[in-house]
Amino acid sequence: MTVWQFYRNTTLGQCLEDSLDEMIQNQQITPTAKQQVLLQFDKAISTTLSQRVKNKVTFKGCIKMYRYCDNVWTFLMTNTEFRDANDGFRADSVKIVACDGTKPPGEK
């Protein structure tokens, strides 16, 4: 299973990592256990988001830069408008990172 680690930069991921670091300092877990917990977090959040989030959001704006490297798209946009079924909002500047969430052939 391809697992992306960028959810570790969310508030939830940072809090988890801080808690694990504190547990290492208090000798409650090992650094190896921390890595196993973070890997499980990466898998769980990716699976949960792909299975439970069904909302669609559209956006349009001015692309200032884009890049595609190692199956990851990065867009830097300005004056971007986001809309879903009920709401909309504008952002002066936004960075969007998108990766392929499909499983490679032969993977369960």
Side-chain angles (χ1 to χ4, degrees), residues 17 20-21 24 29-39:
E17 196 154 5
L20 294 170
D21 286 339
I24 289 172
I29 64 170
T30 65
T32 303
K34 173 188 172 183
Q35 292 306 316
Q36 291 173 340
V37 169
L38 288 174
L39 181 60

Side-chain angles (χ1 to χ4, degrees), residues 5-104:
Q5 296 181 358
F6 54 72
Y7 293 113
R8 292 184 188 184
N9 290 328
T10 63
T11 302
L12 182 61
Q14 288 295 312
C15 288
L16 174 61
E17 196 154 5
D18 290 346
S19 296
L20 294 170
D21 286 339
E22 186 176 320
M23 293 174 79
I24 289 172
Q25 288 176 355
N26 294 334
Q27 297 180 343
Q28 294 173 305
I29 64 170
T30 65
T32 303
K34 173 188 172 183
Q35 292 306 316
Q36 291 173 340
V37 169
L38 288 174
L39 181 60
Q40 184 60 40
F41 170 77
D42 295 335
K43 290 178 183 177
I45 198 159
S46 295
T47 300
T48 301
L49 289 174
S50 69
Q51 291 175 353
R52 295 194 180 188
V53 176
K54 302 299 179 196
N55 294 20
K56 302 281 185 195
V57 176
T58 60
F59 59 92
K60 67 179 179 178
C62 182
I63 296 176
K64 292 297 181 186
M65 190 277 304
Y66 66 94
R67 174 180 48 225
Y68 180 73
C69 182
D70 296 331
N71 285 341
V72 178
W73 281 100
T74 304
F75 298 92
L76 295 180
M77 300 176 70
T78 58
N79 301 321
T80 307
E81 182 179 332
F82 293 87
R83 290 206 169 276
D84 68 3
N86 304 319
D87 254 342
F89 67 93
R90 293 186 75 84
D92 293 333
S93 179
V94 67
K95 178 180 182 180
I96 298 173
V97 178
C99 57
D100 186 359
T102 60
K103 295 178 183 174

